Amino acid sequence: MMFWYDHDVGGWGWFAMSAGMILFWALVITVVVLLIRALNSPRQHTHTPAAPTPEEILRERLARGEIDEEEYRRRLGALHAGPLTRP
């Protein structure tokens, strides 16, 4: 004969089980949402600075006095003319 008297879950037991299930599903949903966001976010590398453009390099060289204005304009024109073609 089995005695089931006073071995059931009381009021606090039901509360603890309900709170546990809510926390469990909240954790599962949070992990899924964070995973989806991580997979859909664009790849950004904030620790590596962007490489300067050729125009910016020329501007810096002109500002430092490494080249004069004539040389700057000549090289800037060559950059904007496009790639060199060989005959």
Side-chain angles (χ1 to χ4, degrees), residues 12-47:
W12 287 108
W14 284 107
F15 174 76
M17 283 192 330
S18 299
M21 284 304 291
I22 290 171
L23 290 175
F24 171 76
W25 285 111
L27 178 68
V28 169
I29 292 170
T30 301
V31 168
V32 169
V33 168
L34 290 176
L35 186 63
I36 289 171
R37 282 186 180 179
L39 293 176
N40 287 337
S41 68
R43 303 288 181 249
Q44 296 177 354
H45 299 286
T46 56
H47 61 280

Side-chain angles (χ1 to χ4, degrees), residues 40-77:
N40 287 337
S41 68
R43 303 288 181 249
Q44 296 177 354
H45 299 286
T46 56
H47 61 280
T48 56
T53 64
E55 289 87 359
E56 290 173 340
I57 294 172
L58 274 177
R59 227 176 291 125
E60 290 173 4
R61 290 187 66 194
L62 177 65
R64 285 193 299 261
E66 295 176 7
I67 58 175
D68 60 358
E69 189 174 344
E70 181 182 331
E71 180 73 10
Y72 170 77
R73 293 191 187 281
R74 186 179 66 77
R75 290 182 183 222
L76 190 63

